[in-house]
């Protein structure tokens, strides 16, 4: 459980660093498609959450285990897609891309590793949902805060 908390803190810090990289390039990032991309990145997790909820409630048991598990894996995928979005927009600007690549790779491998429910149960005690729930809330909040910050910086400008 301690490893999960340390990784959650690392993911959070890397996510803020990456958003700050993109925000610092305010005048160099092309605006074409940025509004659409950020809107898609904000809507897709909500649609996925609705689909996951319908699938879990209709076809599975063990709701108390499966819902935090599904949300944690969803939040990892959100971090990875956010890192890819930032990488796509800063890759030609001579910034240190290492943190973006590290965040994307770590969240990708964490999402794949945590996808089987038994691995999730090994990492987090199956009857103890406070830590995974806190991690989920932090990851989703950070992802949305970063996207809102990016939209606030870039979208008031005229294309």
């Amino acid at each position: 459980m301690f490893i999960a908390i340390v990784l959650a803190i690392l993911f959070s810090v890397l996510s803020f660093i990456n958003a700050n990289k993109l925000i610092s390039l305010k005048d160099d990032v092309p605006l074409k498609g940025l509004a659409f991309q950020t809107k898609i990145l904000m809507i897709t997790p909500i649609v996925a959450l609705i689909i996951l909820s319908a699938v879990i409630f209709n076809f599975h048991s063990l709701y108390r285990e499966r819902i935090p598990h599904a949300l944690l894996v969803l939040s990892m995928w959100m971090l990875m897609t956010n890192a890819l979005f930032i990488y796509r927009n800063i890759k030609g600007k001579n910034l240190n891309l290492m943190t973006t690549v590290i965040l994307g790779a770590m969240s990708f491998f964490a999402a794949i590793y945590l996808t089987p429910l038994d691995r999730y149960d090994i990492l987090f005690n199956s009857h103890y949902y406070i830590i995974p729930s806190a991690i989920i809330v932090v990851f989703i909040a950070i992802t949305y805060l970063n996207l809102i910050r990016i939209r606030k910086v870039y979208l008031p400008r005229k294309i």
Side-chain angles (χ1 to χ4, degrees):
M1 180 110 41
F2 177 73
I3 293 172
I5 294 170
V6 170
L7 285 175
I9 292 169
L10 180 65
F11 283 145
S12 303
V13 169
L14 287 175
S15 185
F16 271 120
I17 289 171
N18 287 330
N20 289 340
K21 283 182 188 177
L22 185 61
I23 290 171
S24 70
L25 292 172
K26 186 164 83 170
D27 297 326
D28 296 336
V29 175
L31 293 178
K32 185 174 181 167
L34 192 69
F36 179 72
Q37 292 172 18
T38 54
K39 197 176 289 187
I40 290 295
L41 286 174
M42 293 176 92
I43 292 173
T44 304
I46 296 169
V47 172
L49 180 64
I50 292 168
I51 293 170
L52 282 171
S53 299
V55 168
I56 288 172
F57 283 122
N58 289 325
F59 301 115
H60 293 291
S61 60
L62 304 172
Y63 304 122
R64 294 181 65 199
E65 285 183 20
R66 292 186 188 270
I67 290 174
H69 170 254
L71 288 175
L72 185 64
V73 173
L74 175 66
S75 67
M76 291 293 173
W77 285 116
M78 288 172 63
L79 285 175
M80 197 238 1
T81 55
N82 197 12
L84 287 176
F85 166 73
I86 292 170
Y87 178 80
R88 180 183 174 275
N89 288 303
I90 69 170
K91 68 181 174 189
K93 310 301 187 272
N94 293 328
L95 289 177
N96 180 8
L97 296 175
M98 191 57 69
T99 57
T100 308
V101 171
I102 289 171
L103 176 65
M106 286 176 55
S107 53
F108 175 75
F109 289 121
I112 289 175
Y113 178 78
L114 290 174
T115 296
L117 189 59
D118 58 339
R119 290 187 189 155
Y120 170 81
D121 284 338
I122 291 170
L123 187 60
F124 300 104
N125 188 352
S126 63
H127 301 292
Y128 190 65
Y129 300 111
I130 294 171
I131 301 296
S133 299
I135 292 171
I136 292 163
V137 168
V138 167
F139 284 172
I140 291 174
I142 285 174
T143 303
Y144 275 103
L145 285 173
N146 284 340
L147 288 171
I148 289 168
R149 288 172 52 214
I150 290 167
R151 287 180 66 89
K152 189 180 283 188
V153 167
Y154 285 104
L155 297 184
R157 296 187 330 184
K158 300 292 182 201
I159 296 178

